[in-house]
Amino acid sequence: MPDGDSSGAGNQQRGSVGGESRPAEPGDGGQGQGDGKGQGDGKGQGDGAGDPRPSDSAGRVPKGYKLSRDPAGFQVAVPQAWNRRSTTGGGQVHYNGGQVEMVLVNGRDSVRKFGRDPMSYQSDHEPELKAYRASDWASTSGLRRIDVGETAMAEGTYSWRDGGREVYARNRAMIIDGRYHVLMVMGSKSKKAEIDRHFEAVADTYRPTAR
């Protein structure tokens, strides 16, 4: 049985998730946090340091990373040894680092269809977390919403069982210009430290570009 990251380890999590909610600044259009169902332990375990500020740090590439200007219409820092692996019909772009990978989605889903609460979108609708919602064992932690200017974001740590493998993922969903953008770093639970390190290094470097 997986050890989990929260006091509810072994209990399947379902429904919208709650978490910290920072006040929206004027013009943000966010609708507050989720309804609180299925919340993890609330300790914020695995959170990055400070609030993400894409507009300030998108051009800064951490040491050991390279800036990828992706043909799918975004740029993001990726580890220097990683390569762009594939795209899918689901609007996903994958960068592969062996047992760890990064999944990115550039504005596939609209707020008109899924609403303006990024925490609700992340927990209830985001296709990249479909396996989490379908798993017979799943847990969450570090769930929070952050509003920076007109950008609303939801962030969380997700674990689930996929056959005999326990998957660990750091996920961020962002509303930019009325559409949802996703950045997720994932792999086996045994690679937790590497996943955390890469997510915290690259999450703030993502930004959409002209396609």
Side-chain angles (χ1 to χ4, degrees):
M1 199 67 171
D3 54 10
D5 288 327
S6 67
S7 60
N11 293 326
Q12 188 177 9
Q13 309 294 317
R14 291 294 179 266
S16 298
V17 294
E20 296 181 13
S21 178
R22 300 181 183 275
E25 296 182 14
D28 174 69
Q31 299 297 315
Q33 65 188 60
D35 61 12
K37 298 178 184 176
Q39 185 173 350
D41 61 10
K43 295 178 181 178
Q45 184 174 344
D47 285 351
D51 290 343
R53 297 183 180 275
S55 60
D56 295 335
S57 56
R60 301 174 189 170
V61 180
K63 185 177 180 180
Y65 294 77
K66 60 188 177 184
L67 186 65
S68 176
R69 293 181 173 86
D70 198 275
F74 62 85
Q75 69 179 41
V76 69
V78 297
Q80 289 180 348
W82 287 25
N83 295 308
R84 190 180 196 267
R85 191 184 74 183
S86 64
T87 58
T88 70
Q92 298 176 346
V93 176
H94 294 251
Y95 283 83
N96 186 259
Q99 297 183 57
V100 177
E101 70 173 339
M102 181 159 55
V103 182
L104 301 115
V105 179
N106 177 23
R108 172 192 57 209
D109 299 327
S110 70
V111 297
R112 178 175 296 181
K113 181 175 181 180
F114 292 100
R116 290 185 173 273
D117 183 353
M119 294 191 75
S120 176
Y121 170 79
Q122 187 180 60
S123 65
D124 298 337
H125 305 293
E126 184 188 314
E128 287 64 48
L129 291 171
K130 182 178 180 180
Y132 154 79
R133 290 188 290 272
S135 177
D136 60 359
W137 179 92
S139 68
T140 61
S141 66
L143 304 170
R144 60 175 183 165
R145 169 174 170 155
I146 312 104
D147 294 89
V148 180
E150 296 185 358
T151 301
M153 294 173 276
E155 193 171 291
T157 299
Y158 294 82
S159 298
W160 66 89
R161 187 165 50 199
D162 182 9
R165 176 188 182 217
E166 187 179 351
V167 179
Y168 176 84
R170 296 285 299 276
N171 186 283
R172 178 182 289 180
M174 303 161 272
I175 299 176
I176 303 174
D177 294 332
R179 304 197 72 86
Y180 281 99
H181 297 249
V182 174
L183 186 153
M184 181 166 71
V185 182
M186 64 182 297
S188 296
K189 183 66 175 290
S190 62
K191 298 295 181 179
K192 177 182 182 297
E194 182 178 346
I195 292 167
D196 286 340
R197 183 175 73 252
H198 289 319
F199 179 85
E200 290 161 12
V202 308
D204 292 353
T205 70
Y206 175 91
R207 71 181 180 197
T209 58
R211 290 193 245 192

